[in-house]
Amino acid sequence: MITPDKNNQTFLAWVAAWIDTEGYIGLRVASVKKQITPAYRPLVGISQKDIRPLQIIQSVFRGHITTQKKETGVHQLVFHSAQAIRLIECVRPYILVKECQADLIIEAGQLTSRSLGYNRYKPKPQAVLDRLGEIKLALHELNGWSRERRIAS
């Protein structure tokens, strides 16, 4: 039995395997009222029909479980912003398939960190916004959402 704990290396490897196989690592762009620049939100999601693994991961890393499609019974555990970054930082040594996405989302987290002091009164510099746009595009391509596919759909 694996003990669900952030300090248990076996548990962290197990969580990383779920992200590698059933997970999504992305960057969401949201418009925030009265904010000059767009808000970039790191996002990690894991989809699964069996809710139990998601509940185990949620018990340690928090996040929010929703039922994506009631007719198919697919559940999704979603992490936003700082929760997403903390999760990926914990499991990064064990991520094998989505390592590029993991590294990009960690970089995006550093660029969007509140500790940098950016807010609606002190917007991010254009260079930071440009890099976040590059990261979003790279994540789309790595996740199989190339520009051609978006245009076609």
Side-chain angles (χ1 to χ4, degrees), residues 37-110:
T37 58
Y40 287 85
R41 291 180 73 186
L43 174 72
V44 176
I46 305 169
S47 296
Q48 173 65 17
K49 274 192 159 189
D50 186 351
I51 198 169
R52 292 173 299 174
L54 303 180
Q55 290 170 331
I56 293 168
I57 296 167
Q58 183 187 39
S59 73
V60 175
F61 291 104
R62 301 178 73 190
H64 180 72
I65 296 176
T66 60
T67 301
Q68 257 185 333
K69 298 178 180 173
K70 293 187 193 264
E71 61 275 359
T72 60
V74 174
H75 305 283
Q76 186 173 38
L77 174 58
V78 181
F79 301 88
H80 294 281
S81 304
Q83 281 184 349
I85 299 304
R86 280 193 294 275
L87 170 64
I88 294 298
E89 286 175 341
C90 284
V91 301
R92 175 59 190 96
Y94 309 101
I95 291 181
L96 302 174
V97 178
K98 296 180 178 159
E99 58 188 349
C100 290
Q101 290 98 316
D103 292 341
L104 286 169
I105 208 68
I106 288 170
E107 181 185 351
Q110 292 166 347

